[in-house]
Amino acid sequence: MKNIKVASMISVAEHAVCLVIMGLHNIAQGLKSIDESKWEKTQLIGNEIKNKTIGFIGFGNIGQDIAELLDKFNVNIIYTNKTRLIDNLAYEYLELLELVKKIDVISVQVALKLYYNPGTNYLLLLKGTSDGVY
């Protein structure tokens, strides 16, 4: 809880959930299409959040708040963190290299440089699907 005031933590979590849903449903592309007086309906088919696997890189207070909100959408939540959270057994802990192979949606809740190794691009390891990873 070093970087954000407690009062705004739930707002940050709600905003993150909104961004996940917007990404899955191609909302930004749809708004752009409308602004350009187009409606490319076939290119705007989205994906439901239900049954997706959402991976968290960093699982502090905000990450856990996001996970709690996402639980209501019947998703599978897995996380990696500097340390495994013994007191939070509701979610599965995986090492980073295993986590990125299993997720449909990624939520990064740490400074990316903490997981960046110049020789490894972890984003290339993300689970490959026809839908992609969000």
Side-chain angles (χ1 to χ4, degrees):
M1 218 173 3
K2 298 175 186 174
N3 299 325
I4 192 161
K5 294 179 181 175
V6 175
S8 62
M9 284 173 52
I10 194 65
S11 294
V12 171
E14 289 173 352
H15 187 79
V17 170
C18 180
L19 291 173
V20 167
I21 293 169
M22 287 179 66
L24 286 168
H25 288 279
N26 300 320
I27 301 296
Q29 295 90 329
L31 292 172
K32 183 178 182 215
S33 177
I34 291 169
D35 284 347
E36 295 172 351
S37 299
K38 300 176 192 174
W39 184 244
E40 297 162 336
K41 189 170 150 182
T42 57
Q43 296 177 13
L44 299 173
I45 296 171
N47 294 285
E48 293 181 357
I49 193 170
K50 184 178 181 180
N51 298 323
K52 295 284 188 232
T53 298
I54 301 178
F56 286 82
I57 297 177
F59 207 57
N61 293 317
I62 292 175
Q64 291 177 55
D65 285 347
I66 296 167
E68 186 178 315
L69 291 172
L70 287 169
D71 264 344
K72 294 161 181 60
F73 291 96
N74 194 27
V75 297
N76 179 38
I77 294 169
I78 57 181
Y79 76 95
T80 193
N81 202 47
K82 283 191 255 181
T83 57
R84 186 178 191 151
L85 304 175
I86 304 297
D87 59 339
N88 191 334
L89 301 176
Y91 308 112
E92 182 182 4
Y93 171 87
L94 292 173
E95 293 295 329
L96 179 63
L97 293 176
E98 291 303 310
L99 178 130
V100 296
K101 294 175 185 175
K102 294 185 174 191
I103 59 175
D104 300 300
V105 176
I106 188 168
S107 181
V108 180
Q109 304 302 317
V110 297
L112 195 53
K113 67 182 180 183
L114 293 178
Y115 283 96
Y116 177 72
N117 176 338
T120 305
N121 184 347
Y122 292 112
L123 297 179
L124 294 176
L125 300 173
L126 291 170
K127 176 179 118 180
T129 66
S130 59
D131 295 336
V133 175
Y134 303 89

